[in-house]
Amino acid sequence: MLTGENISKIYRRGREEVKALQEVSFSINSGEMVGIMGPSGSGKTSLMNILGLLDTPDRGRLSINNCYVDEMSEREKLQTRREVVGFIYQDFLLVKSMTALQNVMLPLYFAGKDIFRKRASDLLERVGLGQRLHHLPSQLSGGEMQRVAIARAIANDPEVVLADEPTGNLDSVSSEGILNLFHEINKEGKTIIIVTHNIELAKELPRILHLRDGKLLTGDEALATQ
Amino acid sequence: MNLFTIVYDGIRRRKIRSILSVLGIAISAMALFTMVSLREGYETAMESELDQMGAHVVALAKGCPYEAVALIMMGGEVPDTLPEEVATEIEEIPNVDFTSPNALGAYEYAGETHSVVGITPNEKRMKPGWEIEQGRLPEQSNEVLLGSGKNEKMLEHEDNWNGVGDNYTVYLDGDEIYLETVGILNETNSRDDNNAYTTLETAQNLFGMEGEVVTFNIQLEDLGLMHETIKELEEIPDVQAVTVDEVMGTVQGLAGTGEAMLFAVLVLALLIGGLGTMNTMMMTVFERTREVALMKTMGASKQKIFNLFLMEGVAICLIGSLLGIAAGGLLVWGGDMLLSQFLPLMPSQSVALFSGEALVWALLFPVGVGVLSALYPALRAAALEPVIALKNE
């Protein structure tokens, strides 16, 4: 489903070059649940941005459903991002002035979908927030906000859910709830990619890609880091 | 959910800033609407006033043309007069159809100025809008015909006022002079409503101008020969001739004094209001950088983000414009009181006119400013790179 071939990403800070990703190759199958682990600055977020079509690699190629991203027009990329990928962030990134329901309706509006109120309220029901539809983010707990963010991420029924440190701001009970939710969504056939440096969370994931200094570690190298 | 829900949410969440931007635009739009409406109202009222005069040309004693206009429009102070016999010379000019001489004067009573106009039977011929509601024109000495407004005032202030047959009193130099009311005019919606009309001779006697006339109102046979006729009129000694168009030009000049400058100031005020809106919109874009990035991760196109911010700017200006028009409407409603503070010459009918032109100006101009002021912030928002924007806190 997602295939990376020798992906490299270099950032320039003045004269200094930062090699965020170096020759990273991987393959993630449809319906897999994969973690991307690594210390700070290892290139996790860069990889996530490339997987989410928010950024482009300087070298190498990414393909989604056997289509090379570098061959896509901007319009096709936008459409892929809208329909194939859903994002979840550590700090939830909810629009503070909008209710839970409105937050979930946003991606449906941008995708030009009909009947989005019904779909959005069903999704909030699905993540256990049926009673919180009209609450503002400030009236929700951290766990509840992340559930709204998950409902929003899956609103357009994407094939892939990309989560960047989804439990980073949550207590252990809420984290467990969120992880269970990811498992449920995964069982429905969605590919889940979770970027984390939380070892406890990583233990619950069937497969982990280890990154260090922008390079993907092999099985033995990865074991050595644990 | 639609574009307007998101635009409304954006405006609502920064109430004070939005209200201030709206107010800035509203004040400019109000001033613009009021100015354009009152200018049109004033000109329309003055034009109608001049139409009611019926004359094509007014001949009067040589002097300052502005005084002449004031005299024609307001029946003001008489600087100079012409001998009554000039009428014959005027009527000998081939293109002159007929002339109606007026001897004007005024007296003060109960803190108000009351005009008395001496006329001949030709005055009714001159004024197509005149209909005599009761009675007839004054024919004998000390007879008076009252304008409808004058009659209403008499009804208000005099007990047992019956109109025709009753005495109308003129207060001059401590004397009370009684004129017999012989007729009441219909309402003309002009200055004539507030005048008292007597015979030429009576007015000459009242105001000490025996054998003299203040103005000769003249109707021409062929308006195409106006220029030549004026020349001939001004060949009569001590006579200056003013056309109705010239009077209108002077009136427009009076109304237009400072108008161009005021207009420029208003446009400047609107542009400053626009800059305020642009500032508001720029702040919004900066504050909502991560939100815009988030929208982009959700698949919002550049066009949608651009529309969103453009609509916010336009909405602020549109709301400001509508509020300004509403407030301007109130000012126009009280336009007579407002304009009389600034203009020496006011028409007798109301200048309160809700002008379509003013509406278009006060609506389209602020909205145009809104589009211009939101354009750059909207472009900035649309061009935001989500990866960079998401890093911003």
Side-chain angles (χ1 to χ4, degrees):
Chain A
M1 173 180 198
L2 282 163
T3 308
E5 297 169 17
N6 303 316
I7 288 177
S8 295
K9 183 73 189 175
I10 299 165
Y11 294 108
R12 284 172 185 83
R13 286 191 199 128
R15 287 182 182 178
E16 189 193 354
E17 272 193 356
V18 179
K19 292 178 178 167
L21 293 172
Q22 298 181 61
E23 306 283 325
V24 173
S25 296
F26 56 86
S27 181
I28 297 169
N29 295 321
S30 183
E32 255 196 293
M33 192 166 182
V34 180
I36 299 176
M37 271 199 84
S40 270
S42 59
K44 301 188 299 287
T45 303
S46 298
L47 184 57
M48 185 175 134
N49 286 337
I50 289 170
L51 290 174
L53 310 192
L54 296 175
D55 208 352
T56 49
D58 293 317
R59 279 199 303 274
R61 306 182 90 181
L62 173 74
S63 74
I64 297 179
N65 291 333
N66 298 322
C67 292
Y68 282 113
V69 172
D70 53 297
E71 288 172 359
M72 289 180 186
S73 66
E74 282 306 311
R75 198 185 177 83
E76 285 168 329
K77 275 192 211 170
L78 184 72
Q79 197 170 351
T80 307
R81 193 154 72 214
R82 194 185 285 159
E83 291 171 3
V84 181
V85 190
F87 291 88
I88 295 163
Y89 296 93
Q90 181 177 358
D91 50 1
F92 327 122
L93 268 181
L94 299 181
V95 179
K96 288 176 190 150
S97 54
M98 288 186 178
T99 61
L101 186 68
Q102 287 173 322
N103 267 286
V104 180
M105 281 158 76
L106 266 179
L108 295 164
Y109 163 70
F110 289 126
K113 298 260 172 82
D114 292 334
I115 337 168
F116 29 78
R117 176 174 279 270
K118 172 83 173 74
R119 166 98 178 129
S121 64
D122 286 351
L123 283 165
L124 282 166
E125 192 86 44
R126 157 99 176 68
V127 297
L129 292 175
Q131 304 301 312
R132 294 272 198 272
L133 301 185
H134 303 293
H135 284 60
L136 291 169
S138 58
Q139 297 165 320
L140 300 173
S141 69
E144 286 172 329
M145 281 198 269
Q146 198 57 296
R147 283 169 186 271
V148 175
I150 292 171
R152 183 180 65 188
I154 59 173
N156 280 328
D157 199 20
E159 291 172 52
V160 184
V161 174
L162 285 171
D164 188 3
E165 302 282 5
T167 58
N169 282 348
L170 302 180
D171 58 47
S172 56
V173 178
S174 300
S175 298
E176 201 183 319
I178 294 298
L179 192 64
N180 288 339
L181 203 50
F182 280 132
H183 279 298
E184 278 178 36
I185 295 166
N186 179 240
K187 274 182 196 157
E188 288 167 11
K190 298 204 185 302
T191 308
I192 311 280
I193 301 170
I194 299 175
V195 172
T196 185
H197 57 245
N198 181 338
I199 294 168
E200 293 305 313
L201 172 66
K203 280 180 186 164
E204 302 290 328
L205 302 175
R207 184 180 157 210
I208 301 286
L209 298 174
H210 289 273
L211 279 171
R212 193 167 63 194
D213 298 330
K215 289 178 183 162
L216 203 56
L217 304 184
T218 60
D220 292 340
E221 289 170 327
L223 276 175
T225 62
Q226 289 172 14
Chain B
M1 178 176 280
N2 54 37
L3 182 67
F4 298 105
T5 320
I6 305 173
V7 167
Y8 172 68
D9 177 70
I11 292 173
R12 187 178 57 105
R13 78 169 83 161
R14 50 197 159 83
K15 281 193 191 80
I16 302 282
R17 218 184 304 151
S18 299
I19 288 171
L20 288 175
S21 298
V22 163
L23 275 181
I25 297 292
I27 289 168
S28 311
M30 175 188 74
L32 194 67
F33 179 79
T34 309
M35 195 190 77
V36 177
S37 270
L38 287 184
R39 188 205 59 198
E40 206 178 309
Y42 182 79
E43 283 184 11
T44 308
M46 279 300 198
E47 241 169 277
S48 147
E49 189 102 10
L50 286 170
D51 277 349
Q52 304 265 10
M53 269 180 62
H56 298 134
V57 180
V58 178
L60 67 170
K62 269 186 181 154
C64 170
Y66 292 102
E67 262 179 328
V69 169
L71 190 68
I72 292 163
M73 297 301 299
M74 302 175 76
E77 285 291 306
V78 183
D80 257 318
T81 53
L82 290 168
E84 209 177 316
E85 299 74 45
V86 169
T88 321
E89 288 180 70
I90 291 173
E91 287 190 339
E92 276 171 5
I93 295 171
N95 191 34
V96 170
D97 186 7
F98 69 96
T99 179
S100 170
N102 283 174
L104 318 172
Y107 66 92
E108 296 284 331
Y109 179 67
E112 282 185 49
T113 305
H114 302 265
S115 295
V116 178
V117 185
I119 56 169
T120 64
N122 268 0
E123 190 72 7
K124 183 158 187 321
R125 208 176 142 199
M126 181 68 66
K127 293 182 171 168
W130 269 26
E131 272 174 35
I132 296 170
E133 207 167 78
Q134 290 175 46
R136 56 175 172 78
L137 282 173
E139 290 161 5
Q140 310 289 324
S141 284
N142 294 344
E143 286 185 346
V144 71
L145 166 80
L146 299 181
S148 62
K150 193 61 131 184
N151 184 49
E152 271 166 33
K153 275 203 172 166
M154 295 302 289
L155 279 168
E156 257 174 55
H157 296 116
E158 300 285 324
D159 296 332
N160 307 319
W161 174 257
N162 295 314
V164 174
D166 279 1
N167 278 342
Y168 175 82
T169 315
V170 174
Y171 299 87
L172 269 174
D173 306 324
D175 292 332
E176 292 184 5
I177 300 138
Y178 301 108
L179 306 179
E180 189 197 344
T181 309
V182 294
I184 310 286
L185 268 180
N186 65 325
E187 193 176 354
T188 61
N189 285 321
S190 75
R191 198 168 300 283
D192 294 353
D193 291 343
N194 298 316
N195 285 342
Y197 296 90
T198 184
T199 60
L200 197 63
E201 184 198 354
T202 309
Q204 287 166 339
N205 291 336
L206 280 173
F207 301 108
M209 51 171 88
E210 283 80 3
E212 296 290 304
V213 164
V214 179
T215 57
F216 290 95
N217 299 324
I218 301 166
Q219 270 202 7
L220 305 182
E221 284 173 358
D222 182 358
L223 289 177
L225 297 171
M226 172 91 76
H227 190 65
E228 292 78 356
T229 314
I230 296 278
K231 255 186 158 179
E232 286 178 80
L233 279 168
E234 291 191 334
E235 278 168 14
I236 303 171
D238 298 326
V239 168
Q240 72 171 340
V242 181
T243 66
V244 171
D245 283 347
E246 281 171 339
V247 173
M248 196 57 211
T250 309
V251 165
Q252 281 170 337
L254 280 173
T257 307
E259 192 194 26
M261 193 180 280
L262 190 63
F263 194 77
V265 170
L266 284 180
V267 168
L268 202 65
L270 262 175
L271 290 177
I272 291 168
L275 283 178
T277 308
M278 186 188 265
N279 184 43
T280 301
M281 294 309 300
M282 282 306 291
M283 291 286 287
T284 304
V285 173
F286 289 138
E287 284 170 4
R288 290 165 68 185
T289 300
R290 296 196 86 208
E291 196 179 307
V292 172
L294 174 78
M295 288 176 180
K296 289 199 159 186
T297 65
M298 288 191 250
S301 62
K302 282 183 178 179
Q303 184 66 50
K304 270 212 161 124
I305 301 282
F306 176 81
N307 290 349
L308 208 65
F309 283 87
L310 190 73
M311 284 300 293
E312 255 190 62
V314 171
I316 285 174
C317 290
L318 187 65
I319 295 167
S321 158
L322 292 174
L323 285 177
I325 289 170
L330 288 177
L331 281 181
V332 169
W333 188 55
D336 293 287
M337 211 165 67
L338 191 75
L339 269 195
S340 61
Q341 307 294 315
F342 304 104
L343 292 173
L345 205 61
M346 285 292 292
S348 53
Q349 72 182 74
S350 175
V351 296
L353 176 104
F354 295 94
S355 144
E357 185 194 343
L359 194 72
V360 171
W361 269 99
L363 200 64
L364 291 190
F365 198 71
V367 170
V369 167
V371 170
L372 285 179
S373 58
L375 208 58
Y376 178 65
L379 283 170
R380 281 279 298 248
L384 274 175
E385 282 298 332
V387 173
I388 299 164
L390 279 170
K391 281 182 189 164
N392 288 340
E393 289 296 337

